Amino acid sequence: MMKYLSDNIHYPEAAFKAGKQGRVIVSFIIESDGRISNAHVIKNVDNDLDAEAVRVVGAMPKWLPGMQDGKAVRVKFAMPITFRLR
């Protein structure tokens, strides 16, 4: 997952020029078939950084779904995504 994020996150140019950085927390549902749905920001930093975090989470490949009593179930997950200037 970390490799996917580092390969696919693109620092928004406007946020880069403005020196914006921080940790965006994105909440989403892992459906019973592994798809990602309902990605939204629960802790924002900047509109451009928030939008990029939601975009990259929504584009993630399928996950392994949660299991309960041997059946695949939906799971709510929150993921921090840190944008840091070097």
Side-chain angles (χ1 to χ4, degrees), residues 1 11 15 28 30 34 54-55 58 68 72 78 80 85:
M1 176 182 63
Y11 215 108
F28 55 95
I30 303 166
V54 169
R55 182 198 68 79
Q68 186 172 13
L85 296 170

Side-chain angles (χ1 to χ4, degrees), residues 24-82:
V24 177
I25 299 179
V26 179
S27 177
F28 55 95
I29 303 291
I30 303 166
E31 298 291 343
S32 59
D33 65 357
R35 289 179 300 112
I36 302 297
S37 69
N38 197 30
H40 64 280
V41 173
I42 57 175
K43 180 184 177 288
N44 67 327
V45 173
D46 171 77
N47 288 340
D48 293 326
L49 297 179
D50 298 347
E52 178 61 10
V54 169
R55 182 198 68 79
V56 79
V57 165
M60 280 195 287
K62 286 187 174 183
W63 286 47
L64 294 176
M67 300 296 284
Q68 186 172 13
D69 296 326
K71 295 181 182 179
V73 296
R74 299 172 78 211
V75 177
K76 187 173 185 177
F77 195 82
M79 176 184 297
I81 299 177
T82 302

